[in-house]
């Protein structure tokens, strides 16, 4: 489940006839990934520090090398992924890359087995911060199906003249029909986030501005790659020395 950062809501727009107020960055992350990554890092730190303190011989060095190798990777694949959105475009922070895509270069936002953004050149970039959850989609579909069945039963009872406490038995008595009608079909959190991104993309495509133009830039996260490689090399050397 992925939710936008509540502290980064868009600013209200200015009255008609003035320039459009720029949005602050809206940040999308995976709460499950953040919680899971924090727990794994805590376990790695606990075991690693214990091995460094009480270990003998090569054990402290192996523990340090293992932490140097694991910590950057765990951080990269759990805590680091995020999607930053504003009026100018997207900044997609994936485990090992940072991709900046102005809205003018975004061709589409796709959802399948993964959520992706596609640029005008046809290059696809996966949105790691918005993982597709088949379980969440199935849960939302089951809730919709239950609500539809309950609504159908309540309508049938009302049509047969059934009354509950002096009033017709309707969807409101079961607490499901009106919510479904007002909000539409239930959607998984990541699917709702993708809907928001598509809506903003369509809006910015219809209002081209200088800030939405430019080139797609991709930068490798060497601050993650370098220590992980160093840890892997150190582990290899230590194991090779026997």
């Amino acid at each position: 489940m992925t939710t936008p950062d509540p502290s980064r809501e868009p600013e209200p727009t200015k009255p008609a006839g003035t320039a459009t107020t720029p949005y602050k960055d809206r940040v999308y992350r995976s709460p499950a990934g953040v919680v899971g990554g924090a727990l794994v890092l805590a376990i790695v730190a606990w075991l690693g520090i214990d091995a460094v303190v009480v270990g003998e011989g090569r054990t402290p060095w192996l523990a340090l090398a293992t932490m140097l190798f694991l910590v950057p990777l765990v951080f990269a694949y759990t805590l680091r992924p995020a999607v930053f959105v504003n009026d100018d475009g997207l900044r997609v922070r994936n485990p090992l890359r940072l991709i900046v895509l102005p809205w003018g270069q975004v061709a589409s936002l796709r959802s399948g087995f993964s959520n992706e953004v596609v640029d005008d050149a046809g290059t696809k970039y996966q949105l790691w911060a918005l993982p597709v959850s088949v379980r969440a989609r199935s849960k939302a579909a089951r809730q919709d199906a239950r609500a539809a069945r309950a609504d159908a039963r309540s309508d049938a009872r009302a049509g047969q003249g059934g009354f509950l406490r002096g009033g017709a038995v309707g969807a409101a008595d079961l607490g499901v029909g009106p919510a479904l009608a007002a909000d539409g079909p239930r959607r998984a959190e990541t699917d709702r986030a993708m809907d928001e991104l598509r809506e903003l993309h369509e809006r910015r495509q219809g209002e081209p501005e200088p800030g939405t133009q430019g080139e797609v830039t991709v930068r490798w996260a060497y601050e993650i790659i370098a220590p992980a490689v160093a840890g892997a090399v150190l582990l290899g050397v230590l194991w090779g020395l026997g």
Side-chain angles (χ1 to χ4, degrees):
M1 182 176 66
T2 306
T3 55
D5 189 334
S7 65
R8 296 179 179 271
E9 291 299 318
E11 296 177 349
T13 55
K14 294 181 179 178
T18 61
T20 303
T21 301
Y23 277 62
K24 293 181 180 179
D25 276 352
R26 180 176 292 185
V27 185
Y28 295 89
R29 287 190 174 91
S30 171
V34 171
V35 172
L39 290 175
V40 172
L41 287 176
I43 293 172
V44 170
W46 173 39
L47 296 177
I49 293 173
D50 181 71
V52 170
V53 173
V54 303
E56 299 178 353
R58 292 187 308 140
T59 300
W61 291 104
L62 285 172
L64 286 172
T66 302
M67 285 193 293
L68 186 61
F69 173 67
L70 288 180
V71 169
L73 293 181
V74 173
F75 173 82
Y77 284 90
T78 58
L79 303 181
R80 174 181 164 83
V83 177
F84 301 86
V85 187
N86 59 24
D87 272 345
D88 293 335
L90 300 171
R91 282 191 299 126
V92 181
R93 196 169 68 188
N94 282 343
L96 301 179
R97 294 193 299 177
L98 176 66
I99 305 105
V100 179
L101 300 108
W103 285 123
Q105 291 290 331
V106 175
S108 63
L109 290 143
R110 298 178 182 175
S111 296
F113 293 106
S114 64
N115 289 315
E116 301 171 335
V117 57
V118 184
D119 66 15
D120 284 342
T123 306
K124 302 177 183 178
Y125 303 98
Q126 186 174 348
L127 304 178
W128 280 78
L130 297 174
V132 169
S133 173
V134 177
R135 179 181 178 184
R137 286 179 176 175
S138 300
K139 181 179 178 181
R142 288 195 301 271
Q143 290 175 340
D144 276 343
R146 284 197 297 268
R149 288 195 298 269
D151 198 18
R153 286 196 298 268
S154 66
D155 288 344
R157 291 173 184 172
Q160 294 170 2
F163 290 89
L164 178 64
R165 295 180 183 177
V169 178
D173 299 309
L174 300 175
V176 291
L180 180 60
D183 300 335
R186 291 173 175 82
R187 302 273 284 164
E189 291 289 338
T190 53
D191 291 337
R192 288 204 297 268
M194 291 296 291
D195 290 342
E196 292 176 5
L197 294 180
R198 292 189 186 99
E199 181 182 354
L200 183 56
H201 174 229
E202 291 175 2
R203 188 187 312 148
R204 301 308 290 167
Q205 289 290 96
E207 301 174 359
E209 294 182 3
T212 64
Q213 307 305 311
E215 299 296 327
V216 177
T217 60
V218 180
R219 184 182 72 83
W220 287 95
Y222 293 108
E223 66 276 13
I224 299 292
I225 298 172
V229 170
V233 170
L234 184 56
L235 273 174
V237 170
L238 290 172
W239 283 111
L241 292 177

